[in-house]
PDB file of all heavy atoms in Angstrom:
ATOM      1  N   TYR A 182      29.642 -50.485 -87.470  1.00 98.00           N
ATOM      2  CA  TYR A 182      29.885 -52.075 -87.657  1.00 98.00           C
ATOM      3  C   TYR A 182      30.975 -52.330 -88.478  1.00 98.00           C
ATOM      4  O   TYR A 182      31.031 -52.043 -89.676  1.00 98.00           O
ATOM      5  CB  TYR A 182      28.577 -52.663 -87.986  1.00 98.00           C
ATOM      6  CG  TYR A 182      27.561 -52.653 -87.002  1.00 98.00           C
ATOM      7  CD1 TYR A 182      26.871 -51.475 -86.556  1.00 98.00           C
ATOM      8  CD2 TYR A 182      27.306 -53.820 -86.178  1.00 98.00           C
ATOM      9  CE1 TYR A 182      25.900 -51.510 -85.582  1.00 98.00           C
ATOM     10  CE2 TYR A 182      26.427 -53.855 -85.262  1.00 98.00           C
ATOM     11  CZ  TYR A 182      25.658 -52.624 -84.927  1.00 98.00           C
ATOM     12  OH  TYR A 182      24.812 -52.631 -83.787  1.00 98.00           O
ATOM     13  N   PRO A 184      34.096 -55.028 -90.136  1.00 98.00           N
ATOM     14  CA  PRO A 184      34.221 -56.424 -90.520  1.00 98.00           C
ATOM     15  C   PRO A 184      35.215 -57.058 -89.525  1.00 98.00           C
ATOM     16  O   PRO A 184      36.122 -56.460 -89.144  1.00 98.00           O
ATOM     17  CB  PRO A 184      34.983 -56.383 -91.946  1.00 98.00           C
ATOM     18  CG  PRO A 184      35.489 -55.001 -92.044  1.00 98.00           C
ATOM     19  CD  PRO A 184      34.778 -54.071 -91.203  1.00 98.00           C
ATOM     20  N   TYR A 205      30.658 -57.358 -87.706  1.00 98.00           N
ATOM     21  CA  TYR A 205      30.049 -58.359 -88.488  1.00 98.00           C
ATOM     22  C   TYR A 205      30.923 -59.366 -88.976  1.00 98.00           C
ATOM     23  O   TYR A 205      32.147 -59.062 -89.122  1.00 98.00           O
ATOM     24  CB  TYR A 205      29.168 -57.752 -89.577  1.00 98.00           C
ATOM     25  CG  TYR A 205      29.984 -57.014 -90.698  1.00 98.00           C
ATOM     26  CD1 TYR A 205      30.516 -57.537 -91.773  1.00 98.00           C
ATOM     27  CD2 TYR A 205      30.118 -55.636 -90.583  1.00 98.00           C
ATOM     28  CE1 TYR A 205      31.273 -56.942 -92.625  1.00 98.00           C
ATOM     29  CE2 TYR A 205      30.850 -54.896 -91.509  1.00 98.00           C
ATOM     30  CZ  TYR A 205      31.403 -55.471 -92.627  1.00 98.00           C
ATOM     31  OH  TYR A 205      32.097 -54.882 -93.541  1.00 98.00           O
ATOM     32  N   TYR A 207      33.190 -61.568 -91.142  1.00 98.00           N
ATOM     33  CA  TYR A 207      33.861 -61.251 -92.603  1.00 98.00           C
ATOM     34  C   TYR A 207      34.502 -62.424 -92.984  1.00 98.00           C
ATOM     35  O   TYR A 207      34.242 -63.037 -94.194  1.00 98.00           O
ATOM     36  CB  TYR A 207      34.590 -60.048 -92.468  1.00 98.00           C
ATOM     37  CG  TYR A 207      35.052 -59.576 -93.881  1.00 98.00           C
ATOM     38  CD1 TYR A 207      34.191 -58.894 -94.716  1.00 98.00           C
ATOM     39  CD2 TYR A 207      36.334 -59.899 -94.381  1.00 98.00           C
ATOM     40  CE1 TYR A 207      34.657 -58.331 -96.004  1.00 98.00           C
ATOM     41  CE2 TYR A 207      36.692 -59.461 -95.728  1.00 98.00           C
ATOM     42  CZ  TYR A 207      35.962 -58.741 -96.450  1.00 98.00           C
ATOM     43  OH  TYR A 207      36.351 -58.296 -97.678  1.00 98.00           O
ATOM     44  N   LEU A 220      28.357 -62.836 -93.041  1.00 98.00           N
ATOM     45  CA  LEU A 220      28.313 -61.353 -93.308  1.00 98.00           C
ATOM     46  C   LEU A 220      26.879 -60.820 -93.411  1.00 98.00           C
ATOM     47  O   LEU A 220      26.420 -59.887 -92.860  1.00 98.00           O
ATOM     48  CB  LEU A 220      29.209 -61.054 -94.470  1.00 98.00           C
ATOM     49  CG  LEU A 220      29.297 -59.583 -95.071  1.00 98.00           C
ATOM     50  CD1 LEU A 220      30.637 -59.324 -95.703  1.00 98.00           C
ATOM     51  CD2 LEU A 220      28.120 -59.271 -95.996  1.00 98.00           C
ATOM     52  N   ILE A 224      24.738 -58.484 -91.022  1.00 98.00           N
ATOM     53  CA  ILE A 224      24.325 -57.189 -91.458  1.00 98.00           C
ATOM     54  C   ILE A 224      22.795 -57.010 -91.390  1.00 98.00           C
ATOM     55  O   ILE A 224      22.186 -55.933 -91.033  1.00 98.00           O
ATOM     56  CB  ILE A 224      24.881 -56.819 -92.920  1.00 98.00           C
ATOM     57  CG1 ILE A 224      26.381 -56.588 -92.748  1.00 98.00           C
ATOM     58  CG2 ILE A 224      24.260 -55.635 -93.455  1.00 98.00           C
ATOM     59  CD1 ILE A 224      27.058 -56.230 -94.028  1.00 98.00           C
ATOM     60  N   ALA A 233      27.509 -48.873 -91.255  1.00 98.00           N
ATOM     61  CA  ALA A 233      28.250 -49.997 -91.779  1.00 98.00           C
ATOM     62  C   ALA A 233      29.474 -49.720 -92.496  1.00 98.00           C
ATOM     63  O   ALA A 233      29.451 -48.855 -93.372  1.00 98.00           O
ATOM     64  CB  ALA A 233      27.324 -50.795 -92.663  1.00 98.00           C
ATOM     65  N   PHE A 234      30.547 -50.220 -92.040  1.00 98.00           N
ATOM     66  CA  PHE A 234      31.906 -49.955 -92.499  1.00 98.00           C
ATOM     67  C   PHE A 234      32.464 -50.986 -93.402  1.00 98.00           C
ATOM     68  O   PHE A 234      32.455 -52.136 -93.013  1.00 98.00           O
ATOM     69  CB  PHE A 234      32.894 -49.695 -91.299  1.00 98.00           C
ATOM     70  CG  PHE A 234      34.272 -49.355 -91.683  1.00 98.00           C
ATOM     71  CD1 PHE A 234      34.577 -47.939 -91.901  1.00 98.00           C
ATOM     72  CD2 PHE A 234      35.270 -50.227 -91.883  1.00 98.00           C
ATOM     73  CE1 PHE A 234      35.846 -47.627 -92.326  1.00 98.00           C
ATOM     74  CE2 PHE A 234      36.535 -49.898 -92.159  1.00 98.00           C
ATOM     75  CZ  PHE A 234      37.037 -48.618 -92.348  1.00 98.00           C
ATOM     76  N   PHE A 235      33.029 -50.543 -94.584  1.00 98.00           N
ATOM     77  CA  PHE A 235      33.584 -51.650 -95.532  1.00 98.00           C
ATOM     78  C   PHE A 235      34.886 -51.169 -95.978  1.00 98.00           C
ATOM     79  O   PHE A 235      35.157 -49.951 -96.031  1.00 98.00           O
ATOM     80  CB  PHE A 235      32.675 -51.728 -96.797  1.00 98.00           C
ATOM     81  CG  PHE A 235      31.190 -52.098 -96.349  1.00 98.00           C
ATOM     82  CD1 PHE A 235      30.292 -51.174 -96.315  1.00 98.00           C
ATOM     83  CD2 PHE A 235      30.997 -53.575 -96.185  1.00 98.00           C
ATOM     84  CE1 PHE A 235      28.966 -51.601 -96.036  1.00 98.00           C
ATOM     85  CE2 PHE A 235      29.673 -53.902 -95.932  1.00 98.00           C
ATOM     86  CZ  PHE A 235      28.683 -52.982 -95.785  1.00 98.00           C
ATOM     87  N   GLN A 236      35.810 -52.066 -96.356  1.00 98.00           N
ATOM     88  CA  GLN A 236      37.031 -51.721 -97.114  1.00 98.00           C
ATOM     89  C   GLN A 236      36.634 -51.851 -98.587  1.00 98.00           C
ATOM     90  O   GLN A 236      36.215 -52.945 -98.985  1.00 98.00           O
ATOM     91  CB  GLN A 236      38.136 -52.754 -96.769  1.00 98.00           C
ATOM     92  CG  GLN A 236      38.619 -52.363 -95.278  1.00 98.00           C
ATOM     93  CD  GLN A 236      39.954 -53.107 -94.931  1.00 98.00           C
ATOM     94  OE1 GLN A 236      40.747 -53.200 -95.707  1.00 98.00           O
ATOM     95  NE2 GLN A 236      40.037 -53.625 -93.749  1.00 98.00           N
ATOM     96  N   GLY A 237      36.900 -50.852 -99.345  1.00 98.00           N
ATOM     97  CA  GLY A 237      36.474 -50.778-100.691  1.00 98.00           C
ATOM     98  C   GLY A 237      37.039 -51.860-101.667  1.00 98.00           C
ATOM     99  O   GLY A 237      36.454 -52.419-102.547  1.00 98.00           O
ATOM    100  N   HIS A 240      41.084 -56.013 -99.192  1.00 96.00           N
ATOM    101  CA  HIS A 240      40.829 -56.051 -97.636  1.00 96.00           C
ATOM    102  C   HIS A 240      42.205 -56.236 -96.834  1.00 96.00           C
ATOM    103  O   HIS A 240      42.855 -57.164 -97.109  1.00 96.00           O
ATOM    104  CB  HIS A 240      39.841 -56.956 -97.237  1.00 96.00           C
ATOM    105  CG  HIS A 240      39.391 -56.866 -95.841  1.00 96.00           C
ATOM    106  ND1 HIS A 240      39.911 -57.750 -94.903  1.00 96.00           N
ATOM    107  CD2 HIS A 240      38.393 -56.319 -95.321  1.00 96.00           C
ATOM    108  CE1 HIS A 240      39.352 -57.594 -93.707  1.00 96.00           C
ATOM    109  NE2 HIS A 240      38.368 -56.673 -93.924  1.00 96.00           N
ATOM    110  N   TRP A 252      28.940 -57.907-103.842  1.00 98.00           N
ATOM    111  CA  TRP A 252      28.841 -56.535-103.455  1.00 98.00           C
ATOM    112  C   TRP A 252      27.462 -55.988-103.841  1.00 98.00           C
ATOM    113  O   TRP A 252      26.924 -55.226-103.077  1.00 98.00           O
ATOM    114  CB  TRP A 252      29.855 -55.708-104.262  1.00 98.00           C
ATOM    115  CG  TRP A 252      31.188 -55.554-103.631  1.00 98.00           C
ATOM    116  CD1 TRP A 252      32.409 -55.837-104.193  1.00 98.00           C
ATOM    117  CD2 TRP A 252      31.503 -54.951-102.287  1.00 98.00           C
ATOM    118  NE1 TRP A 252      33.449 -55.639-103.310  1.00 98.00           N
ATOM    119  CE2 TRP A 252      32.926 -55.095-102.196  1.00 98.00           C
ATOM    120  CE3 TRP A 252      30.710 -54.592-101.205  1.00 98.00           C
ATOM    121  CZ2 TRP A 252      33.637 -54.776-100.996  1.00 98.00           C
ATOM    122  CZ3 TRP A 252      31.447 -54.150-100.042  1.00 98.00           C
ATOM    123  CH2 TRP A 252      32.881 -54.282 -99.932  1.00 98.00           C
ATOM    124  N   ILE A 255      25.143 -57.190-101.140  1.00 98.00           N
ATOM    125  CA  ILE A 255      25.435 -56.413 -99.890  1.00 98.00           C
ATOM    126  C   ILE A 255      24.681 -55.007 -99.977  1.00 98.00           C
ATOM    127  O   ILE A 255      24.123 -54.499 -99.056  1.00 98.00           O
ATOM    128  CB  ILE A 255      27.044 -56.180 -99.649  1.00 98.00           C
ATOM    129  CG1 ILE A 255      27.653 -57.750 -99.434  1.00 98.00           C
ATOM    130  CG2 ILE A 255      27.214 -55.317 -98.390  1.00 98.00           C
ATOM    131  CD1 ILE A 255      29.207 -57.636 -99.346  1.00 98.00           C
ATOM    132  N   VAL A 259      22.093 -53.479 -97.365  1.00 98.00           N
ATOM    133  CA  VAL A 259      22.431 -52.338 -96.616  1.00 98.00           C
ATOM    134  C   VAL A 259      21.311 -51.193 -96.744  1.00 98.00           C
ATOM    135  O   VAL A 259      20.863 -50.537 -95.852  1.00 98.00           O
ATOM    136  CB  VAL A 259      23.821 -51.704 -96.983  1.00 98.00           C
ATOM    137  CG1 VAL A 259      24.032 -50.204 -96.460  1.00 98.00           C
ATOM    138  CG2 VAL A 259      24.955 -52.680 -96.407  1.00 98.00           C
ATOM    139  N   LEU A 264      21.014 -48.536 -93.525  1.00 98.00           N
ATOM    140  CA  LEU A 264      22.382 -48.315 -92.854  1.00 98.00           C
ATOM    141  C   LEU A 264      23.148 -47.313 -93.763  1.00 98.00           C
ATOM    142  O   LEU A 264      22.900 -47.161 -94.957  1.00 98.00           O
ATOM    143  CB  LEU A 264      23.231 -49.533 -92.854  1.00 98.00           C
ATOM    144  CG  LEU A 264      22.592 -50.849 -92.213  1.00 98.00           C
ATOM    145  CD1 LEU A 264      23.399 -52.090 -92.309  1.00 98.00           C
ATOM    146  CD2 LEU A 264      22.107 -50.545 -90.768  1.00 98.00           C
ATOM    147  N   PHE A 265      24.064 -46.579 -92.984  1.00 98.00           N
ATOM    148  CA  PHE A 265      24.886 -45.651 -93.766  1.00 98.00           C
ATOM    149  C   PHE A 265      26.215 -46.154 -93.957  1.00 98.00           C
ATOM    150  O   PHE A 265      26.969 -46.574 -93.065  1.00 98.00           O
ATOM    151  CB  PHE A 265      25.047 -44.392 -92.764  1.00 98.00           C
ATOM    152  CG  PHE A 265      25.909 -43.351 -93.375  1.00 98.00           C
ATOM    153  CD1 PHE A 265      25.589 -42.620 -94.484  1.00 98.00           C
ATOM    154  CD2 PHE A 265      27.247 -43.114 -92.903  1.00 98.00           C
ATOM    155  CE1 PHE A 265      26.316 -41.761 -95.124  1.00 98.00           C
ATOM    156  CE2 PHE A 265      28.138 -42.152 -93.530  1.00 98.00           C
ATOM    157  CZ  PHE A 265      27.657 -41.398 -94.598  1.00 98.00           C
ATOM    158  N   PRO A 266      26.697 -46.449 -95.348  1.00 98.00           N
ATOM    159  CA  PRO A 266      27.781 -47.114 -95.644  1.00 98.00           C
ATOM    160  C   PRO A 266      29.043 -46.247 -95.704  1.00 98.00           C
ATOM    161  O   PRO A 266      28.967 -45.098 -96.335  1.00 98.00           O
ATOM    162  CB  PRO A 266      27.507 -47.774 -97.069  1.00 98.00           C
ATOM    163  CG  PRO A 266      26.201 -47.073 -97.555  1.00 98.00           C
ATOM    164  CD  PRO A 266      25.808 -46.059 -96.543  1.00 98.00           C
ATOM    165  N   VAL A 267      30.065 -46.676 -95.046  1.00 98.00           N
ATOM    166  CA  VAL A 267      31.347 -45.951 -95.082  1.00 98.00           C
ATOM    167  C   VAL A 267      32.401 -46.821 -95.704  1.00 98.00           C
ATOM    168  O   VAL A 267      32.533 -47.940 -95.400  1.00 98.00           O
ATOM    169  CB  VAL A 267      31.835 -45.620 -93.638  1.00 98.00           C
ATOM    170  CG1 VAL A 267      33.160 -44.800 -93.687  1.00 98.00           C
ATOM    171  CG2 VAL A 267      30.719 -44.700 -92.916  1.00 98.00           C
ATOM    172  N   PHE A 268      33.093 -46.311 -96.778  1.00 98.00           N
ATOM    173  CA  PHE A 268      34.090 -47.052 -97.512  1.00 98.00           C
ATOM    174  C   PHE A 268      35.508 -46.596 -97.242  1.00 98.00           C
ATOM    175  O   PHE A 268      35.719 -45.417 -97.481  1.00 98.00           O
ATOM    176  CB  PHE A 268      33.911 -47.028 -98.882  1.00 98.00           C
ATOM    177  CG  PHE A 268      32.701 -47.975 -99.381  1.00 98.00           C
ATOM    178  CD1 PHE A 268      31.347 -47.375 -99.360  1.00 98.00           C
ATOM    179  CD2 PHE A 268      32.879 -49.281 -99.667  1.00 98.00           C
ATOM    180  CE1 PHE A 268      30.353 -48.273 -99.755  1.00 98.00           C
ATOM    181  CE2 PHE A 268      31.921 -50.145-100.027  1.00 98.00           C
ATOM    182  CZ  PHE A 268      30.519 -49.521-100.133  1.00 98.00           C
ATOM    183  N   ASP A 269      36.473 -47.460 -96.697  1.00 98.00           N
ATOM    184  CA  ASP A 269      37.828 -47.058 -96.637  1.00 98.00           C
ATOM    185  C   ASP A 269      38.589 -47.581 -97.869  1.00 98.00           C
ATOM    186  O   ASP A 269      38.485 -48.777 -98.146  1.00 98.00           O
ATOM    187  CB  ASP A 269      38.337 -47.844 -95.440  1.00 98.00           C
ATOM    188  CG  ASP A 269      39.836 -47.629 -95.195  1.00 98.00           C
ATOM    189  OD1 ASP A 269      40.424 -46.701 -95.867  1.00 98.00           O
ATOM    190  OD2 ASP A 269      40.353 -48.087 -94.203  1.00 98.00           O
ATOM    191  N   VAL A 270      39.045 -46.702 -98.562  1.00 98.00           N
ATOM    192  CA  VAL A 270      39.645 -47.063 -99.842  1.00 98.00           C
ATOM    193  C   VAL A 270      41.172 -46.630 -99.782  1.00 98.00           C
ATOM    194  O   VAL A 270      41.652 -45.529-100.263  1.00 98.00           O
ATOM    195  CB  VAL A 270      39.028 -46.190-101.116  1.00 98.00           C
ATOM    196  CG1 VAL A 270      39.612 -46.660-102.349  1.00 98.00           C
ATOM    197  CG2 VAL A 270      37.492 -46.552-101.086  1.00 98.00           C
ATOM    198  N   PHE A 290      27.359 -48.968-104.894  1.00 98.00           N
ATOM    199  CA  PHE A 290      26.407 -48.393-103.765  1.00 98.00           C
ATOM    200  C   PHE A 290      25.850 -47.104-104.304  1.00 98.00           C
ATOM    201  O   PHE A 290      24.661 -46.858-103.943  1.00 98.00           O
ATOM    202  CB  PHE A 290      27.236 -48.219-102.486  1.00 98.00           C
ATOM    203  CG  PHE A 290      27.312 -49.441-101.556  1.00 98.00           C
ATOM    204  CD1 PHE A 290      27.758 -50.652-102.066  1.00 98.00           C
ATOM    205  CD2 PHE A 290      26.761 -49.412-100.338  1.00 98.00           C
ATOM    206  CE1 PHE A 290      27.848 -51.804-101.240  1.00 98.00           C
ATOM    207  CE2 PHE A 290      26.796 -50.556 -99.455  1.00 98.00           C
ATOM    208  CZ  PHE A 290      27.314 -51.795 -99.943  1.00 98.00           C
TER     209      PHE A 290
END
Side-chain angles (χ1 to χ4, degrees):
Y182 287 77
Y205 61 86
Y207 187 81
L220 175 152
I224 290 183
F234 181 86
F235 301 98
Q236 292 192 34
H240 184 274
W252 275 124
I255 297 169
V259 167
L264 306 175
F265 178 67
V267 177
F268 285 90
D269 180 6
V270 183
F290 271 61

